[in-house]
């Protein structure tokens, strides 16, 4: 793919001398007062559960792809990125902190700390996942009626903002735009919807020129110096569905470059979707890594 990512897999970071703020499903976050050190590990989650098997190279790939998008969209919507440069990050850390480049090079992002808006800002351009499920059950998406007769993976008449709660642990819950207004405040809700739709529009055009459909994606926002900024990650195969445009047909399972491959394997396994999740077989690990690399290759070329 033209970029080689670190050969050493990392499931869990340990950085003596830094204060661990949280371990998310994929990222370990360290507190540097005004800033955060975000470590993208090779963990993968599905059905709200972190799997025991790492996807080698995934953390570095997500980090590079997020940084690519942060740089590309930063003049339209501000974001939390300071740098992903290893040497520069080392210089920003207390002098006694040691980081093995074999493990940490390419998976670090130095960010401005934000006051997070506790919502997942999802935009859907096609009907998939929980959006498809709601449509099948009620004929609606995020509470709003859709045309009849849509199929799984059908493009929507226009992209729709479908927020969900950001649960501290466990299941995120889809909520209406009205509920988001109550939770976040009407002005903030309106603004994160506007920014999310704008970013989706920009990214889906970019993807389309490279043979990919951005079926849906999720953003997170936070306030940095009273300005709304994109935080966390952006437009990666973890947070988005990327489909191959060439063979696309509504109603049929689209060829994907994202996590669907893992979900499909888990669906046909005997797992009951309660922790602990089973180990992934090598073929599923390789197939996932290959899909993520293909998304990266196409989007950044
Ligand atoms: N700039 C930031 N300021 C504050 N919190 C952030 C920032 N960037 C990311 N985060 C938070 O750090 C965590 C990153 O871990 P991740 O594995 O992505 O979490 P999750 O399991 O929620 O997907 C998330 O809780 C995210 O909201
Ligand atoms: Mg996240």
């Amino acid at each position: 793919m033209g970029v080689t990512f670190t050969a050493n897999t990392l499931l869990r970071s340990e950085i003596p001398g830094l204060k661990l703020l949280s371990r998310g499903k994929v990222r370990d976050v360290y507190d540097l007062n005004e800033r955060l050190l975000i470590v993208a590990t090779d963990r993968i989650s599905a059905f709200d559960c972190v799997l025991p098997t790492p996807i080698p190279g995934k953390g570095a790939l997500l980090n590079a792809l997020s940084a690519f998008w942060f740089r590309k969209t930063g003049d339209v919507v501000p974001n939390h990125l300071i740098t992903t440069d290893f040497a520069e990050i080392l210089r920003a850390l207390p002098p006694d902190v040691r980081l093995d480049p074999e493990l940490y090079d390419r998976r670090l992002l130095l960010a401005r700390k934000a006051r997070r808006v506790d919502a997942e800002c999802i935009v859907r351009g096609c009907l998939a996942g929980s959006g498809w499920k709601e449509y099948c059950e009620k004929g609606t998406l995020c509470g709003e009626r859709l045309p009849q007769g849509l199929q799984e993976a059908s493009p929507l008449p226009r992209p729709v903002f479908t927020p969900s709660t950001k649960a501290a642990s466990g299941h995120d819950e889809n909520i209406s735009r009205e509920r988001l207004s109550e939770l976040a405040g009407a002005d903030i809700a309106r603004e994160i919807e506007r920014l999310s739709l704008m970013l989706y529009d920009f990214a889906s055009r970019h993807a389309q020129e490279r043979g990919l459909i951005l079926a849906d994606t999720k953003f997170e926002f936070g306030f940095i110096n009273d300005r709304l900024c994109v935080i966390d990650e952006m437009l990666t195969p973890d947070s988005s569905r990327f489909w191959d445009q060439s063979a696309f047909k509504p109603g049929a399972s689209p060829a994907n470059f994202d996590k669907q491959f893992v979900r499909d394997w888990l669906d046909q396994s005997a797992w009951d979707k309660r922790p602990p999740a089973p180990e992934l077989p090598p073929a599923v690990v390789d197939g996932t890594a290959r899909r993520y690399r293909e998304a990266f290759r196409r989007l950044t070329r």
Side-chain angles (χ1 to χ4, degrees):
M1 73 182 139
V3 190
T4 48
F5 295 115
T6 173
N8 295 305
T9 56
L10 182 75
L11 255 183
R12 194 184 155 89
S13 69
E14 300 286 349
I15 308 181
L18 290 187
K19 186 173 142 210
L20 180 70
L21 197 63
S22 71
R23 285 191 207 277
K25 289 194 280 288
V26 173
R27 291 171 184 76
D28 294 341
V29 182
Y30 293 85
D31 195 354
L32 307 169
N33 299 319
E34 307 276 285
R35 297 168 166 194
L36 297 175
L37 178 67
I38 304 184
V39 183
T41 71
D42 293 328
R43 295 193 292 266
I44 188 165
S45 71
F47 303 111
D48 290 323
C49 192
V50 177
L51 308 184
T53 322
I55 307 294
K58 175 175 175 282
L61 189 148
L62 294 189
N63 205 37
L65 188 54
S66 278
F68 165 84
W69 287 114
F70 283 139
R71 289 183 191 112
K72 221 174 167 54
T73 61
D75 51 358
V76 189
V77 184
N79 60 65
H80 72 164
L81 173 70
I82 299 171
T83 182
T84 53
D85 183 85
F86 189 64
E88 207 178 320
I89 291 177
L90 274 184
R91 286 196 294 276
L93 299 178
D96 55 326
V97 173
R98 296 274 169 276
L99 283 177
D100 179 358
E102 293 282 312
L103 279 181
Y104 290 102
D105 188 16
R106 294 172 185 274
R107 47 170 101 248
L108 303 180
L109 188 144
L110 188 65
R112 283 175 278 271
K113 191 193 282 178
R115 191 161 42 82
R116 193 175 77 187
V117 177
D118 285 336
E120 308 243 319
C121 297
I122 301 164
V123 181
R124 299 172 190 276
C126 302
L127 261 186
S130 65
W132 169 241
K133 194 162 165 251
E134 180 186 327
Y135 178 73
C136 288
E137 285 163 6
K138 303 184 206 150
T140 58
L141 180 60
C142 197
E144 285 164 41
R145 191 142 296 280
L146 285 180
Q148 288 185 335
L150 296 177
Q151 294 175 290
E152 185 163 20
S154 281
L156 294 164
R158 57 185 161 72
V160 184
F161 179 67
T162 63
S164 77
T165 56
K166 184 147 179 64
S169 68
H171 241 56
D172 296 329
E173 193 190 328
N174 290 347
I175 52 174
S176 65
R177 292 157 68 246
E178 291 70 31
R179 181 72 189 131
L180 180 67
S181 279
E182 289 166 13
L183 291 172
D187 291 349
I188 295 171
R190 209 176 308 113
E191 187 60 4
I192 59 181
E193 171 170 350
R194 188 181 73 84
L195 296 176
S196 299
L197 288 168
M198 198 162 82
L199 289 169
Y200 173 86
D201 183 62
F202 176 88
S204 75
R205 282 169 203 267
H206 177 96
Q208 196 166 35
E209 286 161 16
R210 287 149 183 87
L212 290 173
I213 297 169
L214 176 60
D216 53 40
T217 194
K218 177 218 80 176
F219 303 105
E220 286 184 32
F221 292 91
F223 283 96
I224 302 172
N225 300 327
D226 295 328
R227 259 188 105 184
L228 265 177
C229 295
V230 184
I231 63 166
D232 200 36
E233 67 177 329
M234 198 180 183
L235 296 158
T236 72
D238 263 14
S239 65
S240 319
R241 286 189 171 85
F242 289 109
W243 295 343
D244 191 11
Q245 210 161 46
S246 61
F248 177 73
K249 204 168 110 244
S253 298
N256 70 82
F257 303 105
D258 54 49
K259 229 191 252 183
Q260 194 58 39
F261 187 61
V262 173
R263 294 193 198 100
D264 289 347
W265 184 81
L266 289 167
D267 269 333
Q268 61 76 56
S269 75
W271 183 43
D272 61 4
K273 312 275 165 73
R274 287 197 303 245
E279 290 277 357
L280 298 175
V284 177
V285 172
D286 290 349
T288 306
R290 231 179 312 115
R291 282 167 174 76
Y292 274 54
R293 283 198 298 265
E294 180 62 11
F296 181 90
R297 190 185 68 79
R298 290 204 200 181
L299 290 167
T300 62
R301 76 180 167 210

